Amino acid sequence: MSKLLDHFLVRATVAAVDHVTPRMRRIRLTGPTNLSWTPGQHVRVHVGDLRLRSYSIWAHRAGALDLCVLDHPGDGPGARWARDVRPGQPVSFTRPQGRLVPREAPYHLLVGDETAGVAFGAILRALPPAVPTFTLIEVDDPSDRLDLPGEVHWVPRPGLLAGLSTLDLPAEPGVAYVAGEARACQAVRRHLVTDRGWPRTAVVVKPFWTPGRRGLD
């Protein structure tokens, strides 16, 4: 089974590891030159045995890509890999994938927690400058704020839904990108569809984690 898995994985080397916030590590991988990536997509990193863990891509250029991984106190295989990885270490991962990518819209709404900031940063940098954006991110601490383009509304946890309910948006729907904790994502989608009258097709949801869920560690 592991040989079959290796057949589908891209091989790279860790070139650098640094911090973009006190709890967010940037892991630069070099080697692959033929990757196709759309901003907002993620890769699934082989972290041991047959385990794969998903990490959003912060930036990509020929021969290199940057992952930004939030450190958390868990002891799962993904948390251990991200905490212990060092320059020079070989890494295998799947090709970029995922539906959380920019779409055409009169404006863009990005809502999530600190785990969504990496994908949101890539999306925001790819959007046309003339198209309005509204970004709302929930964090535990102000030090968790990433450097993101445009105006970002930062709210302390738990304040995501309350912050969204008071956010002044245009009357017509745009496209919403919702990511982070699974139950919070469901609540945001329900608010947009039920309270604001958005069509469900205008809300793109990507749950990144949920308490106690194996595989999201």
Side-chain angles (χ1 to χ4, degrees):
M1 182 67 177
S2 60
K3 291 183 179 179
L4 180 62
L5 180 62
D6 287 343
H7 178 73
F8 293 101
L9 296 179
V10 177
R11 289 172 176 80
T13 301
V14 177
V17 180
D18 58 12
H19 282 83
V20 291
T21 74
R23 291 203 306 144
M24 184 76 77
R25 285 186 178 88
R26 177 171 50 198
I27 302 170
R28 176 159 295 170
L29 307 180
T30 59
T33 58
N34 60 344
L35 291 182
S36 176
W37 170 67
T38 301
Q41 288 186 321
H42 62 275
V43 295
R44 303 189 71 201
V45 177
H46 185 205
V47 297
D49 296 331
L50 298 180
R51 296 183 177 94
L52 298 172
R53 293 296 181 266
S54 297
Y55 299 112
S56 297
I57 299 171
W58 175 249
H60 174 265
R61 65 199 63 81
L65 59 84
D66 291 346
L67 308 179
C68 285
V69 182
L70 185 70
D71 188 20
H72 63 85
D75 195 39
R80 290 196 303 270
W81 176 83
R83 195 176 298 129
D84 297 339
V85 68
R86 295 292 184 271
Q89 182 174 322
V91 176
S92 299
F93 56 91
T94 64
R95 293 184 179 276
Q97 57 190 279
R99 296 176 52 252
L100 192 73
V101 296
R103 303 183 179 189
E104 290 188 9
Y107 67 92
H108 302 269
L109 171 65
L110 300 91
V111 183
D113 60 26
E114 55 268 84
T115 64
V118 178
F120 287 176
I123 291 171
L124 286 165
R125 291 193 299 269
L127 292 173
V131 180
T133 61
F134 302 84
T135 306
L136 178 72
I137 300 180
E138 178 186 74
V139 294
D140 270 330
D141 188 272
S143 65
D144 289 329
R145 299 177 179 181
L146 282 172
D147 184 15
L148 301 179
E151 181 180 0
V152 181
H153 301 272
W154 301 96
V155 295
R157 180 175 280 108
L160 188 63
L161 195 58
L164 178 60
S165 65
T166 59
L167 189 63
D168 187 17
L169 297 173
E172 76 281 2
V175 166
Y177 312 86
V178 183
E181 197 276 320
R183 289 172 296 187
C185 289
Q186 293 171 359
V188 168
R189 177 167 55 187
R190 187 164 52 247
H191 168 76
L192 292 174
V193 173
T194 303
D195 300 335
R196 299 218 187 210
W198 283 42
R200 293 179 68 88
T201 54
V203 185
V204 184
V205 177
K206 175 59 178 176
F208 283 149
W209 66 281
T210 194
R213 172 82 177 272
R214 289 190 64 185
L216 295 180
D217 52 5

